[in-house]
């Protein structure tokens, strides 16, 4: 049995499962992190849901914020995060 499509999960309001699908489709960036790509994917899904499913949009906007915050916390904590800033 194949996995349900992302659109099918969103129509049925199965947001956590849809988020799992997004996680599986995102590859880590050159530094080994996937947070920026997950944030962008969640923002894109939220924008698509904004008018027809406000609760779903809120869920995915919140997840996008969390992924971007996770990424930003490493950028200011020293170590690998500082190396990311220095290389750009």
């Amino acid at each position: 049995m194949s996995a349900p499509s992302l659109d099918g999960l969103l129509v049925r309001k199965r947001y956590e499962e849809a988020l799992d699908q997004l996680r599986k489709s995102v590859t880590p960036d050159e530094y080994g992190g996937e947070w920026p790509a997950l944030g962008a994917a969640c923002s894109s899904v939220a924008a698509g849901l904004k008018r027809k499913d406000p609760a779903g949009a809120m869920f995915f906007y919140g997840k996008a914020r969390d992924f971007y915050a996770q990424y930003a916390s490493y950028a200011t904590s020293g170590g690998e995060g500082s190396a990311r800033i220095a290389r750009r």
Side-chain angles (χ1 to χ4, degrees):
M1 184 171 151
S2 65
S5 73
L6 180 63
D7 289 337
L9 292 170
L10 293 173
V11 167
R12 291 183 303 224
K13 301 183 186 309
R14 297 170 74 172
Y15 306 131
E16 288 293 339
E17 291 178 52
L19 182 60
D20 288 340
Q21 286 250 343
L22 285 176
R23 285 180 193 264
K24 292 174 185 173
S25 68
V26 170
T27 56
D29 66 11
E30 63 189 280
Y31 303 104
E34 58 190 15
W35 295 306
L38 281 169
C42 286
S43 291
S44 177
V45 169
L49 293 175
K50 195 172 187 177
R51 291 188 187 265
K52 58 187 171 189
D53 184 3
M58 292 289 288
F59 175 85
F60 282 100
Y61 278 132
K63 292 298 180 182
R65 181 200 62 229
D66 294 345
F67 288 128
Y68 286 132
Q70 185 69 30
Y71 179 69
S73 71
Y74 280 95
T76 59
S77 64
E80 181 185 343
S82 294
R84 290 181 184 197
I85 292 172
R87 291 184 190 147
R88 292 194 184 246

